[in-house]
Amino acid sequence: MQRLALSLALLVMAASAFAQSQAPSPFYPAPPPEQAPKVDQGAPLGNLSSPLGQDQPKVARTIIDSDAEAQLFAGAVKVVWGRYAKIKGAKPGDVTVTKEGALWRVKGRIDSVAPGTEGDWATIDGVAERISAGVVQIRGEVAFRIAKVMKGTPCKVGGTLHFKRSGKSQVWRLAEGDNPCDGAQEMFDLVYEKPVEKKPVPPQPKRT
């Protein structure tokens, strides 16, 4: 019994001496990463998915329930960003609605030029799933870049987005337009601009 106890004591002493002679491993504990992972999106709003789910069926054609609404939306040419719209010097951005066969594509961008907001921008990229009276349903993504929010990281909402218009308004506003990073209402609008009608010039009488 004494021999067994003596043997165990010798093993413990040997293990301790070996551990002291061994250099500490640089990989345990693991060193912290040199740079934290970059995040390119904010937490999505309820019932939204951002980024777009890969398993969602691809939109092949735009369903048009209202020809009148579709005709109006085809004339959408401006983007207005409510966060900065009331600042002196603010200007609208551009949006294009193009038809690729039976599919309508929507793409636009606004770069803020109001004093103190230079470098901030908002974009939209997607396809119209359905156009009905007062509502344009777009599958895509809207991103907001604000220098003071998440250190300028773009915050996105994506999935099925609803742009709503009422009455005789020429503006479709994004219903899911709350910024997922700070909760602010962005008031992101697509604006229809009625083309200027050129009135025919009456013929002038010839001078004799």
Side-chain angles (χ1 to χ4, degrees):
M1 191 68 180
Q2 291 180 351
R3 288 182 179 180
L4 179 60
L6 182 62
S7 299
L8 289 173
L10 289 172
L11 285 172
V12 171
M13 291 174 64
S16 176
F18 177 77
Q20 291 177 1
S21 64
Q22 190 178 31
S25 171
F27 300 105
Y28 189 84
E34 294 181 2
Q35 186 176 7
K38 293 183 178 180
V39 178
D40 195 36
Q41 71 213 28
L45 299 176
N47 300 323
L48 291 180
S49 57
S50 181
L52 300 179
Q54 299 298 320
D55 57 344
Q56 294 184 6
K58 187 177 180 180
V59 180
R61 60 184 293 270
T62 300
I63 301 171
I64 297 177
D65 297 328
S66 171
D67 290 332
E69 196 74 24
Q71 186 175 356
L72 282 176
F73 190 67
V77 293
K78 290 184 179 180
V79 175
V80 174
W81 191 4
R83 180 184 280 256
Y84 296 136
K86 294 183 179 180
I87 299 178
K88 187 177 181 180
K91 294 182 179 180
D94 299 317
V95 65
T96 56
V97 179
T98 55
K99 300 177 186 178
E100 300 176 359
L103 185 65
W104 294 40
R105 184 170 295 279
V106 184
K107 192 166 187 176
R109 180 183 178 100
I110 177 171
D111 289 282
S112 185
V113 295
T117 69
E118 299 88 344
D120 291 356
W121 51 259
T123 61
I124 179 172
D125 191 0
V127 294
E129 285 185 313
R130 183 184 294 270
I131 301 176
S132 53
V135 181
V136 177
Q137 186 173 304
I138 293 176
R139 174 90 65 84
E141 199 170 64
V142 174
F144 305 100
R145 190 274 179 187
I146 299 103
K148 297 178 181 179
V149 178
M150 286 187 65
K151 298 181 179 179
T153 299
C155 300
K156 301 179 181 179
V157 290
T160 300
L161 307 173
H162 302 83
F163 286 82
K164 298 184 178 182
R165 184 183 68 86
S166 60
K168 296 182 179 180
S169 172
Q170 297 176 206
V171 175
W172 291 267
R173 175 160 293 178
L174 176 61
E176 296 85 1
D178 290 355
N179 192 307
C181 295
D182 66 353
Q185 293 183 357
E186 296 292 356
M187 294 174 285
F188 185 80
D189 300 337
L190 304 180
V191 182
Y192 162 77
E193 192 171 72
K194 188 176 181 180
V196 178
E197 295 182 2
K198 293 183 179 180
K199 296 182 179 180
V201 179
Q204 299 295 321
K206 292 182 180 180
R207 293 182 180 180
T208 58

